[in-house]
Amino acid sequence: MIGESMERPLTLSVFLQDLEFSRVEITEEVSLSIAGKLFHSQQRVLHTLSALSSLPFNQCWALYDHGFLSASSLFRLTLHERARVEEGRLALKRLPPEIFGSVRNPFDVKRRYVDSWWKPVEKLPLKATCCLMYKTGRRKEYCYTCPKLTKQEREKAASSFQQQYGVRKPW
């Protein structure tokens, strides 16, 4: 079984035991140590996912970045909460790529934006990589923020969504 090969479960108490401290200042070195342990465990999961799905390992990592986009845009977060999410994303962006077992940091992506389909003055961030949701059978087309969509395909999707959900163009 996949979980049987793992040492012990990764928890904060394991971090604290391994770091052997009761009270210590959280320095950059301590933060890197904690991040290294956390992402090392994630590497094992992602290598397994990559092997089972035949997705490239780096694409599996790139899907993590989408979690930050979802947290910022899908949940009704206050400005303060959005700032905290963005702070976390920027902290991850500064980590060395070796922590991820990769040649590049999967969170260090140049963000691109497109107009939303329901409110054209609002910008939506494109995903760093395709999430492959269209292959699950739950949807038959790419997501609106998929980087695989061309500008024309995205405009067609916007028009379709507007008709489907009754959104009128304000322009």
Side-chain angles (χ1 to χ4, degrees):
M1 199 152 172
I2 293 173
E4 292 177 13
S5 65
M6 293 179 66
E7 297 98 42
R8 52 192 172 156
L10 201 56
T11 63
L12 185 56
S13 63
V14 170
F15 285 143
L16 296 178
Q17 282 179 335
D18 290 349
L19 294 173
E20 296 178 15
F21 65 87
S22 57
R23 234 186 154 115
V24 71
E25 181 184 346
I26 303 296
T27 63
E28 187 173 341
E29 183 181 341
V30 171
S31 295
L32 281 174
S33 175
I34 291 171
K37 289 173 185 269
L38 175 67
F39 290 120
H40 178 72
S41 73
Q42 295 303 304
Q43 285 178 44
R44 294 185 302 221
V45 171
L46 293 179
H47 276 297
T48 303
L49 176 64
S50 177
L52 293 174
S53 69
S54 66
L55 283 176
F57 177 70
N58 287 334
Q59 186 173 2
C60 294
W61 266 125
L63 294 172
Y64 269 65
D65 185 58
H66 182 62
F68 282 96
L69 297 178
S70 296
S72 294
S73 60
L74 294 181
F75 301 116
R76 300 193 189 289
L77 300 179
T78 65
L79 287 176
H80 175 72
E81 291 166 333
R82 282 182 188 230
R84 293 293 310 260
V85 168
E86 185 60 14
E87 241 176 64
R89 192 183 72 74
L90 291 174
L92 288 173
K93 192 175 182 171
R94 290 189 299 267
L95 292 174
E98 300 78 38
I99 281 185
F100 303 99
S102 182
V103 294
R104 69 175 199 80
N105 179 328
F107 295 99
D108 190 10
V109 295
K110 182 173 171 36
R111 197 63 70 214
R112 297 180 302 149
Y113 295 85
V114 294
D115 289 333
S116 82
W117 60 269
W118 65 88
K119 195 187 289 183
V121 294
E122 186 175 324
K123 297 289 186 187
L124 297 176
L126 287 182
K127 296 175 185 174
T129 188
C130 177
C131 68
L132 304 172
M133 180 64 98
Y134 70 96
K135 289 190 171 192
T136 65
R138 290 178 52 197
R139 73 169 8 146
K140 305 213 181 334
E141 65 279 330
Y142 295 131
C143 301
Y144 185 76
T145 56
C146 183
K148 288 185 172 187
L149 281 181
T150 65
K151 184 177 180 177
Q152 293 79 18
E153 290 170 326
R154 191 167 284 107
E155 286 171 356
K156 184 178 176 186
S159 180
S160 171
F161 290 144
Q162 289 164 351
Q163 288 174 354
Q164 183 178 352
Y165 297 106
V167 176
R168 290 186 326 188
K169 294 180 181 179
W171 58 99

